[in-house]
């Protein structure tokens, strides 16, 4: 993935719909079905798909009269890049500050805190 490549909210919604399709691929009608309301016009969706292709997030292959779109960038890869950027931009690169912020903002229950501690302890072993 290109360094510092960010997606707009609409582009992220299109990628989310594509990531949720089997194999991370589908036709524009299948992608459209996975988008939240209000859905964009079909021509607008095709514009987003072209932008995503130009940014290197998807590829397409012509199948008859339609194009089959495939996610090149995996959801986890984008999430990792996005969260790294959030951590560096807003928390001076400190994971502790990021986690502390969300712990305070989310009003975690005792069970959620326990789950997080278990996840951290599992990562240590």
């Amino acid at each position: 993935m290109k360094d510092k490549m960010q997606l707009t909210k609409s582009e992220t919604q299109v990628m989310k719909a594509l990531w949720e399709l089997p194999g991370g691929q589908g036709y524009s009608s299948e992608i459209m079905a996975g988008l939240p309301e209000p859905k964009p016009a079909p021509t607008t969706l095709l514009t987003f798909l072209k932008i995503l292709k130009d940014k290197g997030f998807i590829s397409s292959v012509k199948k008859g009269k339609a194009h089959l779109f495939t996610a090149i960038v995996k959801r986890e890869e984008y999430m990792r890049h996005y969260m790294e950027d959030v951590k560096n931009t807003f928390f001076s690169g400190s994971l502790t500050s990021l986690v502390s912020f969300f712990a305070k903002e989310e009003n975690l229950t005792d069970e959620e805190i326990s789950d997080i501690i278990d996840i951290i302890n599992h990562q240590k072993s």
Side-chain angles (χ1 to χ4, degrees):
M1 182 170 49
K2 295 177 183 171
D3 188 42
K4 297 288 184 185
M5 185 61 68
Q6 294 294 322
L7 297 176
T8 65
K9 180 179 179 181
S10 295
E11 292 166 354
T12 301
Q13 289 175 336
V14 172
M15 285 303 298
K16 183 176 182 290
L18 186 56
W19 283 322
E20 290 175 355
L21 291 171
Q25 62 180 201
Y27 295 96
S28 60
S29 60
E30 296 171 313
I31 296 167
M32 180 72 81
L35 293 175
E37 295 291 343
K39 295 185 188 299
T43 54
T44 302
L45 173 58
L46 291 175
T47 299
F48 287 136
L49 291 167
K50 181 186 179 321
I51 291 167
L52 289 166
K53 186 175 178 181
D54 291 345
K55 287 183 172 184
F57 279 83
I58 66 172
S59 66
S60 68
V61 177
K62 190 165 183 158
K63 299 274 187 174
K65 293 182 178 182
H67 283 84
L68 178 65
F69 297 94
T70 303
I72 295 172
V73 175
K74 303 296 182 213
R75 180 191 314 243
E76 294 77 16
E77 180 184 357
Y78 184 70
M79 285 174 29
R80 189 176 312 109
H81 174 83
Y82 185 86
M83 291 307 298
E84 183 73 22
D85 193 46
V86 168
K87 181 181 77 168
N88 291 334
T89 301
F90 297 104
F91 302 98
S92 302
S94 169
L95 181 61
T96 302
S97 295
L98 182 141
V99 172
S100 175
F101 171 81
F102 281 108
K104 290 174 188 171
E105 290 296 314
E106 294 296 317
N107 297 318
L108 299 173
T109 66
D110 289 342
E111 183 179 345
E112 289 170 324
I113 292 169
S114 178
D115 289 345
I116 292 169
I117 290 170
D118 288 346
I119 290 168
I120 292 168
N121 286 332
H122 179 72
Q123 292 295 321
K124 286 182 178 180
S125 53

